[in-house]
Amino acid sequence: MMIKVDVQQIKQRFGIIGNSPGLNRAIDVALQVAPTDLSVLITGESGVGKETFPQIIHQNSPRKHGQYIAVNCGAIPEGTIDSELFGHEKGSFTGALADRKGYFEVADGGTIFLDEVGELPTPTQARLLRVLETGEFIKVGSSKVLKTNVRIVAATNVNLVQAVADGKFREDLYYRLNTVPIQIPPLRERPEDIILLFRKFAGDCAEKYRMPPIRLDEEARQLLTSYRWPGNVRELKNITERISVIEENRDITASVLRLYLPDLNVEKYPVLVKKQESDQKFFNSEREILYQVLFDMKNDVNELKKLVHDIMGGKMPMPVADETTYAHPIHPVHSAPIQEAEAVEEEETLSLEDVEKDMIRKALEKHNGRRKNAAADLKISERTLYRKIKEYNLE
Ligand SMILES: Nc1ncnc2c1ncn2[C@@H]1O[C@H](COP(=O)(O)OP(=O)(O)OP(=O)(O)O)[C@@H](O)[C@H]1O
Ligand SMILES: [Mg+2]
C-alpha cells in the first residue's frame, strides 16, 4: 500500500524550492499520476527543473523498488542509441563482442526517463512506439521478439508539436508519450519563487565556502524579480554562485547585480548577442564554457607568475592576479588595477575556439574519454559536449 504524500513533503524530500501555483500544480499532477502506468511528458524551457520530476514519479509508484534509468537521448550518438536502449547480439556490428542487455530489458518492472526525447532519431522512434504499445522489442542483430514492462517518463525543452509539424518527430509517438502532460512554467512566470530560490542558493554557497551569505537590498530584489531569466533556475543558480564567490561586500545593490545580468549589458558583447538571438540554449552553454575557460586561464596565469617568480629566485615582487579581473572579465570591473586590465586585453586576442577545443581535449584525456565526467568537469551538459566533439571533430 502506498502512503499518501503531499506536495510540501515532496518538495522537502527532493529539495524543490518555490511555492508558486504553477510549480505546485506540476508537482501535484506528478503525484496523482505516479501510481499509474501512464506515460508522462514533462515540458518546459531549459533550466526550469524538469530533471527531478521523473524521480518523483518513480519514487511514488509501485515500481519504486524496480530500476530507474535516465537516458539522455541527445547525448548518445545515433549509431549506438538502438543498442543502448534495446541491446544487441554478439557480432551484430563491428565491436559487438558480446551480447548486451539494453535499458528496456534492464529496467523491466521499473521506469525509464527519456530526457531530450525530441532528439531521438527516426528509426529509434519507431522502435520506441512499438515497445510502448505492445511491450515488445527486438535486440539489434536479433530476430527474437522480447517482452518488457517499463514505464516511460519523457522530457523535452523543444516544442515537440513544432517538431511533429516539421516532420522530425512521429505524431503517433508524440500522442503516446504525451498521455499525461506536465508543464513546468518558466521562472519569469513565477516571480514569487525567485527570491526564495536566490536565498537557498546564496545560503548553500555560503555554507560551502564558509562565508556569510550575500544579501540583496530592496532595489536589487526588484531587479532580480523583474529580470527575464532566459536560462531559468539554472541561470539564477549560476549567477547567485558567481556573485557569492566574487563580491567581497556581502550587501548586494542593484548596480552590482546589474553587472551580472547579461541581458542588461548586451550592447557590449555583439558576438554573444548574435548567438543569443539565434539560440538561447546554445548561448547559455557557450557562456558556461567561456566562464570555465577564463577561470582556468586565470589559474594558469597565476601559476605562470608563480613559476617566473620562483625562477627569479624571489628577487622581484610577485604581482597576483586580482580575482575579480579574471574571474569576471565579461563585465566591467569596478576597481581593476591597470596592469591586470592589460593582461585581459592580451588574452582576448587568443582564438576562443582553439582554447575551447584544447580544454575539451584535456578534459576528455583526464577522464579517459568518459564524456559524462568530462562534461561535469567542464561544467557543461553532456549534450553540449557531444555537440562540440562533433563540431570540432575531436573523436
Ligand atoms: N525549484 C527548484 N528548486 C531548487 N533547485 C532547482 C529548482 N528548479 C531547478 N533547480 C536547479 O536548477 C538546475 C537546473 O534544473 P534541471 O537540470 O532540472 O533543468 P531542466 O529543466 O532539466 O533543463 P534542461 O532542459 O536544460 O535539461 C539544477 O541544478 C536544479 O537542481
Ligand atoms: Mg534536463
Side-chain angles (χ1 to χ4, degrees):
M1 203 191 79
M2 307 283 300
I3 297 159
K4 193 138 177 56
V5 285
D6 68 19
V7 171
Q8 298 307 326
Q9 281 173 293
I10 287 296
K11 283 191 215 166
Q12 237 179 8
R13 210 162 103 204
F14 290 87
I16 299 175
I17 306 296
N19 206 16
S20 54
L23 179 68
N24 287 343
R25 162 120 190 105
I27 299 170
D28 192 41
V29 176
L31 276 179
Q32 298 295 331
V33 77
T36 73
D37 272 342
L38 297 173
S39 301
V40 180
L41 181 64
I42 297 154
T43 56
E45 290 177 13
S46 184
V48 290
K50 296 187 287 299
E51 209 117 323
T52 37
F53 278 77
Q55 295 173 43
I56 295 174
I57 294 169
H58 177 73
Q59 288 300 328
N60 288 280
S61 79
R63 295 173 176 269
K64 70 176 173 191
H65 300 297
Q67 286 261 5
Y68 170 84
I69 300 181
V71 186
N72 187 339
C73 304
I76 304 174
E78 278 201 21
T80 56
I81 194 156
D82 283 349
S83 151
E84 298 247 345
L85 290 176
F86 304 104
H88 63 243
E89 283 204 335
K90 186 177 164 180
S92 54
F93 53 86
T94 332
L97 302 173
D99 285 3
R100 180 189 187 280
K101 281 188 184 179
Y103 301 138
F104 274 88
E105 194 171 343
V106 175
D108 194 4
T111 308
I112 292 184
F113 169 35
L114 295 175
D115 202 1
E116 317 246 18
V117 73
E119 301 290 323
L120 281 181
T122 323
T124 313
Q125 289 180 29
R127 282 174 180 265
L128 178 61
L129 183 66
R130 176 167 183 196
V131 76
L132 281 170
E133 285 185 333
T134 64
E136 291 175 354
F137 69 98
I138 297 173
K139 284 183 166 186
V140 174
S142 163
S143 53
K144 203 165 98 203
V145 176
L146 300 174
K147 273 270 192 190
T148 187
N149 173 8
V150 169
R151 202 259 182 94
I152 294 292
V153 181
T156 179
N157 58 32
V158 300
N159 187 343
L160 274 190
V161 176
Q162 188 57 46
V164 169
D166 294 343
K168 290 186 190 124
F169 202 81
R170 288 180 70 122
E171 192 174 13
D172 42 11
L173 179 59
Y174 169 69
Y175 287 117
R176 189 63 191 69
L177 288 174
N178 198 27
T179 314
V180 181
I182 295 182
Q183 280 156 8
I184 318 222
L187 195 53
R188 65 185 159 280
E189 283 174 22
R190 39 181 167 125
E192 62 268 56
D193 290 349
I194 293 175
I195 296 299
L196 294 176
L197 283 159
F198 170 84
R199 281 208 197 109
K200 159 83 172 133
F201 297 144
D204 287 352
C205 220
E207 204 175 304
K208 187 166 156 197
Y209 298 110
R210 300 206 183 109
M211 47 191 185
I214 48 168
R215 282 178 317 211
L216 303 173
D217 70 11
E218 183 50 34
E219 206 192 330
R221 217 170 293 152
Q222 273 173 26
L223 178 60
L224 199 78
T225 319
S226 58
Y227 175 63
R228 216 165 44 83
W229 298 112
N232 293 291
V233 183
R234 182 180 292 121
E235 185 183 14
L236 175 58
K237 190 175 179 183
N238 287 346
I239 286 179
T240 309
E241 284 174 355
R242 218 173 290 151
I243 301 176
S244 297
V245 171
I246 293 167
E247 292 299 325
E248 257 170 67
N249 187 345
R250 309 314 276 165
D251 293 307
I252 306 301
T253 62
S255 58
V256 170
L257 176 59
R258 205 165 277 125
L259 301 171
Y260 293 84
L261 300 179
D263 272 3
L264 305 175
N265 288 313
V266 281
E267 72 283 357
K268 299 195 182 75
Y269 317 106
V271 181
L272 293 180
V273 174
K274 233 186 272 155
K275 284 237 179 272
Q276 183 186 28
E277 279 165 0
S278 65
D279 189 329
Q280 181 59 46
K281 196 174 167 186
F282 282 2
F283 172 71
N284 283 340
S285 54
E286 233 118 69
R287 199 178 49 211
E288 276 174 34
I289 214 172
L290 183 67
Y291 273 116
Q292 189 58 39
V293 165
L294 287 161
F295 267 111
D296 290 340
M297 226 185 233
K298 179 196 72 178
N299 288 337
D300 287 350
V301 169
N302 275 340
E303 260 169 42
L304 265 176
K305 281 184 180 169
K306 194 168 171 299
L307 197 70
V308 170
H309 181 257
D310 289 350
I311 290 170
M312 313 266 299
K315 286 193 198 81
M316 284 172 68
M318 179 174 66
V320 174
D322 174 15
E323 282 295 305
T324 36
T325 317
Y326 291 102
H328 197 53
I330 302 215
H331 302 305
V333 175
H334 354 285
S335 57
I338 287 158
Q339 82 265 31
E340 298 302 338
E342 277 167 9
V344 170
E345 289 234 334
E346 265 171 38
E347 279 164 14
E348 273 172 0
T349 60
L350 289 170
S351 153
L352 185 59
E353 201 179 292
D354 287 344
V355 178
E356 197 177 89
K357 258 192 238 173
D358 201 39
M359 293 310 300
I360 291 173
R361 216 178 277 126
K362 275 194 189 134
L364 285 168
E365 266 167 27
K366 179 171 158 199
H367 295 284
N368 292 326
R370 296 193 54 170
R371 288 182 183 167
K372 196 178 156 91
N373 300 4
D377 218 0
L378 290 163
K379 298 202 170 55
I380 57 174
S381 68
E382 252 182 286
R383 189 178 140 62
T384 303
L385 179 61
Y386 180 60
R387 186 173 57 80
K388 294 208 174 278
I389 288 171
K390 254 201 199 154
E391 189 180 310
Y392 294 143
N393 249 325
L394 295 174
E395 304 254 30

